[in-house]
Amino acid sequence: MTEKLPIGLSFADKDVRAFTDELRTKHAIVKNTSGEWILLKHHNVMAAALDHERFSSHVSRYLQIPNGLDGEEHTQYREVLDRYLTREALTPFIPVFKRVASELIAQVPKGKVIDAVNDIGAVFAVRAQCQWLGWPAELEPRLLAWMKENHAATRSGKHEWTAKVAEEFDDIVREIIQSRRIEQNGTADDITAQLCRETVNGELLTDQKIVSILRNWTGGDLGSIALCVGVIMTHIAEHPELIATIKTSSNEQVEAIVNEILRIDNPFVSNRRVTKCPVHICGQDIPAGAKIQLNWTSANRDQAVFDNNQFDPIKNADKNLVYGIGKHACPGQLLASLELRIALQTLLSSVNSISFVDGQPPEREVAPVGGYHRVPVILS
Ligand code: HEM
């Protein structure tokens, strides 16, 4: 911790995991080219995520429900929205996700090169989401194309492009909401239709609010699930002995294994906060109104907490920050865990090996995204 604080550090084209591993050996905090203070250590990321008084989530000028809300308003929305993501609410979808996974795995060619991220992860994420929300299957090509463009725009760091892509997603969601509003007197009773009838504080949710909610449920999640599948399949190709363990493990044990694989290589890199008052963190005096980045990927690999980053699903579980911590912790954790566990179990019930392809190593994603861009593998 003796070196001068790096300011104006560029993350462009960097593999976030490798770059933050290197930075963390010398610094607990760095400042990037956008003027964001990036917290790299586990205890600092946790402290800021838990300090809702001094670190606000109101980081964007766009409406973000519930992500961008603070205090009582945030709590009111979470109380309503969390009901859609409880075990009871999600249990009926377990057979649906199993069917989606089985059909996909049956379609994926065996003995030929496929890309784990795009051919399995992205397609499974889109199909599972469409089933959960009651969106038409015909949307699949449009959503897959959107995911690709969203990734490219995010990687480019070009604000106009990311704004345009976000608008395109909102258009898709608005069309679906319109159709549900028209069907309100009809029979539609899927999750999207239920959301269209939902009230918070006695007021019906407006279209603008529903778009924001669905954007936060799906927009980010589609990409995260696809990236998670890439990370999990890469880890298994590197550690084939895990296949037998997973095949004989309980559902809870498989979910713990998945969480630990994601801790070691967390593709959901970061979330932002803004300071509400001057704060002193990581030895730095930071003024009010400063932009802070909670870097989950780095915090999850902090050697001071995770002894040499040894794979240990049981020992590391309670410190795992893949789904965040505090009031904004991911409400979709159960849904994501179910989807990922079912996808993995289904895959391993029909293939005996996942092998890399000679001359085609997995390609890492670059900041601000984590995990892999492309993972060529052969299933057999
Ligand atoms: C593997 C997949 C996922 C990962 C790694 C992930 C990770 C996270 C993390 C780290 C946060 C904390 C944000 C913060 O502190 O600012 C978060 C929040 C959130 N996640 Fe997830 N998530 C995933 C999937 C999902 C799914 C499936 C949904 C919903 C269907 C979802 C909905 C949300 C929402 C709405 C928030 C904001 C909560 C709030 O601000 O109160 N996520 N997620």
Side-chain angles (χ1 to χ4, degrees):
M1 290 309 134
T2 48
E3 294 205 2
K4 206 166 156 262
L5 169 78
I7 288 179
L9 205 61
S10 173
F11 276 63
D13 298 326
K14 299 254 179 23
D15 171 352
V16 178
R17 183 176 68 156
F19 192 44
T20 55
D21 273 356
E22 185 190 322
L23 290 171
R24 212 177 43 252
T25 60
K26 301 186 194 112
H27 310 283
I29 190 166
V30 295
K31 207 172 176 184
N32 67 12
T33 44
S34 314
E36 283 174 345
W37 297 88
I38 303 179
L39 306 184
L40 299 167
K41 299 250 174 185
H42 190 275
H43 68 282
N44 297 127
V45 168
M46 239 178 79
L50 288 167
D51 187 344
H52 311 112
E53 293 307 315
R54 299 192 304 158
F55 293 85
S56 164
S57 288
H58 187 53
V59 293
S60 167
R61 60 198 158 99
Y62 299 106
L63 181 67
Q64 293 188 319
I65 301 178
N67 316 29
L69 306 177
D70 287 330
E72 187 51 28
E73 193 183 15
H74 172 260
T75 309
Q76 284 171 349
Y77 277 95
R78 279 291 297 250
E79 272 170 17
V80 171
L81 299 176
D82 285 4
R83 290 205 295 268
Y84 290 83
L85 293 156
T86 60
R87 188 167 292 280
E88 199 188 354
L90 294 173
T91 299
F93 292 95
I94 292 176
V96 179
F97 297 149
K98 284 186 179 167
R99 180 175 43 79
V100 168
S102 305
E103 285 171 6
L104 172 61
I105 301 303
Q107 281 168 5
V108 171
K110 314 291 176 308
K112 288 192 177 153
V113 180
I114 57 145
D115 171 15
V117 181
N118 291 295
D119 297 334
I120 298 187
V123 180
F124 176 71
V126 166
R127 289 184 188 169
Q129 283 268 323
C130 285
Q131 288 290 333
W132 176 52
L133 293 169
W135 291 6
E138 299 79 65
L139 266 183
E140 182 179 321
R142 202 166 155 203
L143 286 170
L144 286 172
W146 177 84
M147 278 168 79
K148 267 213 169 96
E149 199 189 352
N150 185 41
H151 254 96
T154 310
R155 266 199 313 272
S156 78
K158 289 185 187 145
H159 178 70
E160 311 82 66
W161 193 8
T162 42
K164 182 182 145 279
V165 177
E167 194 50 44
E168 278 167 18
F169 191 79
D170 288 2
D171 286 344
I172 299 177
V173 178
R174 252 182 242 117
E175 283 171 33
I176 299 167
I177 296 174
Q178 286 313 322
S179 72
R180 290 300 182 281
R181 291 271 193 232
I182 292 163
E183 288 166 17
Q184 277 304 315
N185 298 328
T187 50
D189 197 31
D190 52 48
I191 300 291
T192 308
Q194 289 172 32
L195 205 54
C196 288
R197 295 194 293 268
E198 194 58 84
T199 56
V200 174
N201 248 343
E203 281 185 31
L204 197 65
L205 291 175
T206 60
D207 283 7
Q208 197 198 7
K209 287 180 176 171
I210 297 172
V211 169
S212 172
I213 293 163
L214 287 171
R215 190 196 308 126
N216 289 325
W217 277 2
T218 59
D221 165 57
L222 288 175
S224 309
I225 294 280
L227 290 170
C228 287
V229 169
V231 166
I232 295 164
M233 287 180 65
T234 302
H235 189 96
I236 292 174
E238 285 167 349
H239 303 275
E241 70 284 0
L242 261 182
I243 294 180
T245 311
I246 291 170
K247 283 185 175 189
T248 53
S249 294
S250 67
N251 291 342
E252 291 69 29
Q253 286 167 331
V254 178
E255 285 173 19
I257 290 171
V258 166
N259 282 348
E260 176 66 348
I261 294 173
L262 298 178
R263 177 192 69 74
I264 293 172
D265 192 0
N266 185 353
F268 189 100
V269 171
S270 64
N271 283 106
R272 291 183 293 155
R273 297 289 188 268
V274 59
T275 51
K276 289 194 200 171
C277 58
V279 296
H280 186 80
I281 191 163
C282 310
Q284 294 294 319
D285 286 317
I286 298 179
K291 292 186 271 184
I292 307 287
Q293 189 195 98
L294 313 180
N295 196 297
W296 309 115
T297 302
S298 173
N300 263 326
R301 293 173 57 79
D302 188 341
Q303 289 87 336
V305 177
F306 303 103
D307 198 15
N308 264 338
N309 268 317
Q310 290 298 315
F311 179 83
D312 193 333
I314 295 169
K315 192 168 148 215
N316 295 332
D318 63 341
K319 298 183 202 80
N320 188 324
L321 293 177
V322 166
Y323 292 99
I325 192 165
K327 284 177 65 167
H328 290 273
C330 184
Q333 171 164 5
L334 187 60
L335 176 60
S337 301
L338 279 177
E339 288 186 18
L340 292 171
R341 192 247 302 155
I342 289 170
L344 179 59
Q345 287 173 323
T346 310
L347 176 71
L348 296 185
S349 70
S350 68
V351 306
N352 292 321
S353 73
I354 303 172
S355 327
F356 291 132
V357 184
D358 284 344
Q360 293 186 51
E363 295 165 30
R364 295 291 295 173
E365 263 295 355
V366 292
V369 185
Y372 293 90
H373 176 60
R374 193 167 169 268
V375 179
V377 285
I378 296 178
L379 306 177
S380 52

